[in-house]
């Protein structure tokens, strides 16, 4: 990819982010401005801001990469990411705003009057936030490496510095404008190149049936293997090898590999003839981290699909950077209108990444072997169109990708910093919020330097599973069930969220590598979400004396319109 235009495009996005954030800084004055923008953000601006921070590296790069590698089955990712807002609209949006909370731990304390539950909710907010931040930083590193060949850590460092400065300077008021601007930038950065790519494909005569068939090389292609891998062949394959295969060195030798699994050493170059089906690559582990969930999907496809659906449908309501934005709405009606607008904006965006994934199966199938499938969006303009037009469109895509990392990282850092300031640091206030911002970014950035990573969409999917297993039961039962008790809420979060987090840790560590247990751990939502709900209900029923006093009044505030008279509110409190 030509970096002549792409690097200035990324630099321009960074500068624009700083300038838009500076505008928000000028009107950020109070603590309420920093935490919830003084609850004055209207539905249209808030919807654009939510969409901007929600459409992360997984949306911009990861969905296309998964469609490229594994085909149309991966369309469940964008469907689930969008449908999660429908669940949020139906069950959570307006009551959550009426709670008057600043953060999820605030909601837990307001509903259950328990400092212990508040601290536990805070721990899960920080854990989910850091788990979600990690792929944003790694995606930024991948983008800058593809553009310039720079070290993987440089892109993450740029995102970390810009986001920390923007959030620390202006808080929620500042990043609201930044994220709204970045949504429209990301939509433009995918839509305009997609139109040209589709037109080029239509005029290229490429086969239309290739999208739902195994990816094949349309022309002779050489692939350099950057990390040791295993090729799993269902039928014999003829390939030209320069490097080491199955322990034997070769120099530009033509080999006919039999069906089965073959070990390919790092640095080996494989040349494939036109029309050859792209073989399946299994990387096993990389620096202690599993690099793909593809094997588990192949072994238990139905289970994996339902696990993904449940995680994405229910995980959205517990994502800390999404939930915190609903606290900025003026009232519950505005929160509902915001959610409807978000459904439209997010749904429109998610029409585009699958187009890049499908075209990637035609024009860049070797990315499935090289381990760079997430780079398909960045490389397609040059691969399909080429010349000056391809360079300019590639620069636009690169700028949009960096906007994705910056906007999502801003929201996550804001959410984690709010919890750290409220519940960890000894005192509160704007100065300590800025200290919390630095801490919120420092930990995931250090982790991104120390470990490898899953494909970004897979990594984000794991964060959704933890969120669905911990916060979904807390929010749904806390809003709709008056018999919930503090011990029940704590036990449900620990059992549901804790088991999902343990499963995620095992998956990221590459244990076990295959089999039925691997599928259970790789997609834990199918059992961890019901486990969280069941534990929360049973423990609450076993501790009926621990239902907080005034629960009826609290639930009335959640569900009754804000215009309700003070007399009616007092009547609700009197019946508590």
């Amino acid at each position: 990819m030509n970096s002549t235009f792409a690097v200035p495009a990324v630099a321009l996005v960074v500068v624009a982010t700083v300038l838009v954030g500076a505008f928000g800084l000028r009107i950020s004055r109070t603590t309420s401005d920093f935490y919830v923008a003084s609850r004055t953000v209207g539905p249209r601006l808030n919807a654009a801001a939510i969409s901007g921070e929600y459409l992360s590296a997984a949306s911009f790069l990861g969905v296309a990469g998964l469609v490229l590698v594994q085909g149309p089955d991966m369309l469940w990712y964008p469907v689930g990411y969008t449908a999660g807002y429908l669940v949020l609209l139906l069950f959570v949006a307006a009551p959550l705003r009426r709670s008057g909370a600043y953060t999820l731990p605030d909601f837990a304390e307001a509903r259950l009057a328990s400092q212990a539950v508040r601290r536990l909710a805070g721990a899960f907010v920080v854990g989910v936030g850091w788990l979600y931040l990690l792929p944003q930083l790694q995606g930024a590193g991948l983008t800058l490496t593809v553009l310039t060949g720079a070290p993987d850590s440089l892109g993450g460092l740029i995102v970390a510095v810009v986001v920390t400065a923007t959030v620390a300077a202006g808080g929620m008021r500042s990043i609201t404008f930044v994220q709204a601007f970045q949504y429209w930038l990301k939509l433009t950065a995918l839509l305009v190149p997609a139109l040209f790519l589709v037109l080029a494909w239509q005029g290229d005569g490429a086969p239309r049936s290739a999208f739902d068939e195994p990816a094949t090389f349309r022309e002779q292609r050489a692939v350099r293997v950057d990390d040791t891998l295993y090729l799993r062949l269902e039928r014999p394959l003829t390939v030209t090898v320069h490097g080491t295969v199955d322990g034997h060195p070769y120099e530009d030798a033509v080999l006919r590999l039999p069906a089965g699994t073959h070990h390919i050493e790092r640095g080996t170059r494989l040349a494939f003839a036109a029309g050859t089906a792209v073989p399946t690559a299994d990387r096993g582990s990389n620096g202690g981290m599993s690099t793909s969930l593809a094997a588990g999907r192949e072994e238990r496809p139905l289970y994996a699909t339902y696990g993904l659906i449940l995680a994405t449908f229910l995980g959205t309501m517990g994502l800390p950077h999404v939930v915190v934005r609903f606290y900025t709405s003026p009232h519950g009606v505005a929160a509902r209108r915001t959610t409807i607008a978000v459904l439209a904006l997010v749904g429109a965006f998610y029409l585009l990444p699958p187009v890049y994934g499908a075209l990637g199966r035609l024009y860049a199938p070797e990315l499935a072997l090289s381990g760079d499938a997430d780079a398909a969006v960045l490389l397609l303009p040059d691969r399909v169109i080429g010349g000056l037009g391809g360079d300019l469109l590639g620069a636009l895509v690169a700028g949009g990708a960096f906007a994705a990392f910056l906007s999502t990282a801003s929201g996550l850092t804001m959410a984690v910093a709010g919890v750290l300031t409220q519940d960890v640091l000894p005192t509160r206030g704007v100065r300590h919020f800025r200290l919390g911002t630095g801490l919120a970014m420092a930990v995931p950035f250090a982790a991104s330097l120390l470990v490898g990573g899953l494909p970004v969409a897979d990594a984000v999917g794991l964060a959704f599973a933890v969120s669905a297993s911990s916060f979904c039961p807390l929010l749904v039962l806390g809003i709709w069930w008056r018999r919930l008790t503090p011990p029940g809420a704590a036990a449900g979060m620990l059992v549901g969220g804790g088991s999902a987090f343990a499963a995620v840790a095992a998956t990221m560590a590459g244990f076990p590598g295959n089999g039925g247990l691997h599928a259970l751990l790789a997609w834990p939502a199918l059992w961890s979400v019901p486990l969280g709900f069941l534990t929360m209900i049973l423990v609450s029923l076993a501790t009926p004396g621990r239902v907080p006093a005034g629960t009826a009044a609290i639930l009335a505030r959640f569900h009754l319109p804000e215009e309700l008279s003070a007399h009616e509110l007092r009547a609700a409190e009197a019946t508590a």
Side-chain angles (χ1 to χ4, degrees), residues 39 87 104 171 179 202-203 240 283 299 304 310 340 344 365 375 383 411 415 424 433 468 478 495 523 541:
R39 307 189 194 276
V87 180
L104 275 170
Q179 290 167 339
Q202 290 286 340
T240 302
R283 287 178 169 76
E299 294 172 353
L310 195 63
I340 293 172
R383 186 69 58 84
V424 177
F433 170 80
V495 173
W523 292 275
L541 292 176

Side-chain angles (χ1 to χ4, degrees), residues 372-397:
D372 295 327
D374 290 332
V377 173
L378 302 170
L379 297 176
L380 274 174
D382 180 64
R383 186 69 58 84
V384 179
I385 297 172
L388 179 61
D391 290 341
L392 292 174
L393 292 174
L396 180 59
V397 170

Side-chain angles (χ1 to χ4, degrees), residues 13 17 52 177-187 403 406-407:
V13 168
T17 297
F177 296 108
V178 169
Q179 290 167 339
F181 156 73
Q182 287 171 337
Y183 168 76
W184 295 108
L185 174 60
K186 285 184 283 189
L187 183 64
L406 290 169
S407 58

